Amino acid sequence: ISEVLVRGLAYENMAHAGFAIGQEVRVTTPAFPDKVFSGTVHHIDATLQAGTRVREIDSVVENPDGKLLANMQATLSIK
């Protein structure tokens, strides 16, 4: 899989931080601490989730080596 969907969570205090579709993202994982995966914001939820008070941000991230797998823990940084 050359591209994967990475879902990030913006907590209530960050929900209006100026996120935008197409914005650059960088993803790191504990499994590959020296590797940075690049991508862009693909979708931003319009509202906060009622139970958790977070806003989901979906990004499409390059995965040329197939290292990123479903349900891996990751840190998403939006530039």
Side-chain angles (χ1 to χ4, degrees), residues 30-58:
F32 306 105
D34 297 327
K35 173 77 174 160
V36 177
F37 301 89
S38 300
T40 56
V41 174
H42 177 71
H43 173 80
I44 303 168
D45 276 359
T47 60
L48 295 175
Q49 294 179 1
T52 58
R53 312 302 293 165
V54 297
R55 187 177 190 185
E56 290 185 352
I57 300 173
D58 293 340

Side-chain angles (χ1 to χ4, degrees), residues 61-76:
V61 176
E62 297 172 11
N63 189 29
D65 301 326
K67 291 182 176 183
L68 293 175
L69 303 173
N71 300 311
M72 288 182 85
Q73 184 179 25
T75 299
L76 178 71

Side-chain angles (χ1 to χ4, degrees), residues 10-20 23 44 55 57 78-79:
Y11 292 94
E12 188 173 16
N13 63 336
M14 298 172 26
H16 296 287
F19 304 121
Q23 204 168 2
I44 303 168
R55 187 177 190 185
I57 300 173
I78 300 177
K79 301 293 178 180

